[in-house]
Amino acid sequence: IASCLVGSEMCIRDRNNTLEDAFLNKDLIIEGFMDNPFLEKYYNNPDRYALNVELTFLTDRCRQLSNFNNQMNFFSSGLIADYDIFKSLVFAGVSLNEIDFNLFRDIFYFMTKDLFKSNLVIYLLQSSDQLLKNISKRGRSFEKTISRNYLDKINSAYLKHIKNNSDLNVVYIDVSDLDFVESDEDYAKLLFRVKNNLAESFKELPY
């Protein structure tokens, strides 16, 4: 089947059109994270709403990827998503208590068993300090509670998950010296690094 699924993980999303600019002529999935009705409530009361927010994200991500499963055909040039489905496990592992996480994990594996797996995951390595600056620039009041410690936990959880799943095909790209949210020059450098790293790692993108 002439198709591919490429996921990009950026810890906390900074600039949504990165993938669209880096990969032309591919179907694109952008996560509608602001559509989650529990997101703001979670930041205000994480213990109360953690399971709600993670299950809603999981459901939305599965729906997006399932739609691609159903619509895919032999002429498809592939799919680019700004997340991999394992993102749900990573964030849930940080956000949920042990009992809720065990429940979530069972639901996750049931809901994702028939989904396409990514041929390639692009992991953009960003510093927590820069992420905090970008979050501040977005100006969302409910995100003011996000701490460096929380971001460090998310990053560690991502790296642990990737390390424990050797079947994942991952390309790491360090962008910690770039402010590609505010600087067009840095954004151009980001796109160059993405394309350059892929060119070095693969003769061509997986199809």
Side-chain angles (χ1 to χ4, degrees), residues 134-152:
N134 293 344
I135 290 169
S136 177
K137 291 172 184 176
R138 290 198 299 215
R140 297 173 187 148
S141 59
F142 61 88
E143 290 183 334
K144 291 180 179 179
T145 59
I146 295 178
S147 66
R148 180 180 289 101
N149 180 56
Y150 173 75
L151 295 177
D152 288 342

Side-chain angles (χ1 to χ4, degrees), residues 38 55 61 72 90 122 127 160 162 179 186 203 207:
F38 298 103
L55 285 174
R61 290 164 187 155
M72 192 197 70
V90 169
I122 301 170
S127 68
K160 181 180 179 180
I162 292 171
D179 182 7
D186 281 359
K203 292 182 179 180
Y207 286 93

Side-chain angles (χ1 to χ4, degrees), residues 16-50:
N16 277 340
N17 57 335
T18 302
L19 285 171
E20 186 174 12
D21 291 341
F23 301 97
L24 299 178
N25 302 318
K26 302 289 184 184
D27 293 327
L28 181 67
I29 287 180
I30 297 295
E31 183 176 19
F33 63 99
M34 287 301 293
D35 296 331
N36 190 323
F38 298 103
L39 185 59
E40 184 170 354
K41 295 178 181 179
Y42 164 73
Y43 283 119
N44 291 327
N45 190 347
D47 291 338
R48 169 65 179 85
Y49 291 103

Side-chain angles (χ1 to χ4, degrees), residues 15 18 124 126 130 134 137 173-194:
R15 190 163 179 169
T18 302
L124 303 183
Q126 181 62 281
Q130 185 60 52
N134 293 344
K137 291 172 184 176
I173 302 176
D174 187 358
V175 297
S176 58
D177 60 325
L178 302 180
D179 182 7
F180 54 85
V181 175
E182 292 292 327
S183 170
D184 289 338
E185 181 180 355
D186 281 359
Y187 184 63
K189 290 179 181 178
L190 167 64
L191 296 181
F192 175 80
R193 291 182 189 181
V194 170

Side-chain angles (χ1 to χ4, degrees), residues 87-104:
K87 177 180 184 177
S88 290
L89 272 184
V90 169
F91 274 79
V94 173
S95 302
L96 301 179
N97 60 49
E98 183 178 358
I99 293 175
D100 285 347
F101 178 72
N102 289 337
L103 171 64
F104 180 91

Side-chain angles (χ1 to χ4, degrees), residues 59-70:
T59 302
D60 289 345
R61 290 164 187 155
C62 286
R63 182 183 299 112
Q64 283 187 309
L65 296 176
S66 293
N67 287 341
F68 174 73
N69 275 18
N70 296 333

